[in-house]
Amino acid sequence: MTHAHEESRDPERSQLEQNQDDLWMELAIEQARLAEKSGEVPVGAVLIKDGMLLAKGHNRNLLDSDPTAHAEIVVLREAAAKIGNYRLGGCELFVTIEPCSMCAGAVMHARLDRVIYGAGDPKAGAAGSVLQILNHPKLNHTLEVRPGVLAEKCSDILKTFFQSRRKAQEQTQQAQEEE
């Protein structure tokens, strides 16, 4: 898939950018771990502008009783409030999983420059896994998308979380059957 704003770069700059992307993704992973400690699905995100952290957050659906409180939405709201504008041109979103359709729509509306994500989402991803909302040809905004940054690490956090959740559900079900 071709992404807007991609151009040939010298290899050293490209490697530096990749290293920086990894560092920002590590911060998003820290946010995912905070979500997990709160019992939330462990997704974390950070929003960067001009190499500076503008916002960080994680899933807060349960904490806020809010179906829209995905990590991406949390950081978009925080950043927009900080700068006083819902348009976030010049910003880069780092998120541990491919954005869903709601989050991808918000990203497009906010006019971000880049989205960098870790794990793909074969059930709800809207950057090409299930739907193509980011850089959809009929939409009036394009951005650079970089998938797979620290993908295994991001994926492992989610797999472990859901395995634990399934195990707990099985144990609860077994206990109920024994009563």
Side-chain angles (χ1 to χ4, degrees):
M1 172 202 293
T2 359
H3 303 296
H5 305 304
E6 286 185 336
E7 54 202 47
S8 60
R9 299 179 178 154
D10 79 54
E12 286 181 28
R13 176 162 159 56
S14 180
Q15 186 60 49
L16 285 173
E17 187 174 89
Q18 286 178 22
N19 292 343
Q20 190 62 50
D21 286 355
D22 288 356
L23 292 173
W24 289 123
M25 188 61 74
E26 288 287 356
L27 189 54
I29 290 168
E30 286 177 24
Q31 289 295 307
R33 292 194 192 287
L34 290 174
E36 184 175 30
K37 286 179 184 171
S38 300
E40 298 278 358
V41 174
V43 176
V46 296
L47 199 73
I48 308 306
K49 182 168 177 129
D50 301 324
M52 303 291 289
L53 179 65
L54 188 56
K56 62 183 177 179
H58 55 77
N59 275 4
R60 299 186 54 88
N61 304 96
L62 300 172
L63 290 168
D64 295 349
S65 298
D66 181 354
T68 68
H70 288 192
E72 300 95 322
I73 302 298
V74 169
V75 297
L76 290 173
R77 286 177 179 155
E78 182 182 326
K82 274 186 183 174
I83 67 169
N85 192 340
Y86 73 100
R87 295 285 197 215
L88 299 170
C91 291
E92 302 172 303
L93 174 69
F94 290 79
V95 62
T96 55
I97 192 169
E98 179 180 359
C100 70
S101 58
M102 174 185 68
C103 295
V107 161
M108 295 297 286
H109 193 63
R111 304 293 194 263
L112 299 184
D113 284 6
R114 285 178 84 210
V115 170
I116 303 89
Y117 66 88
D121 186 348
K123 294 184 179 180
S129 290
V130 175
L131 300 169
Q132 184 68 51
I133 293 176
L134 296 182
N135 292 331
H136 189 282
K138 297 221 177 204
L139 296 177
N140 65 351
H141 178 67
T142 56
L143 63 153
E144 181 184 337
V145 176
R146 182 169 178 231
V149 174
L150 303 181
E152 190 172 333
K153 197 170 188 178
C154 293
S155 179
D156 286 347
I157 294 167
L158 288 160
K159 284 179 189 171
T160 302
F161 174 81
F162 286 113
Q163 285 170 349
S164 295
R165 185 183 261 185
R166 280 191 295 276
K167 187 175 181 180
Q169 287 172 340
E170 288 170 11
Q171 289 172 342
T172 301
Q173 189 175 22
Q174 285 175 351
Q176 289 172 347
E177 290 171 0
E178 291 172 3
E179 291 177 357

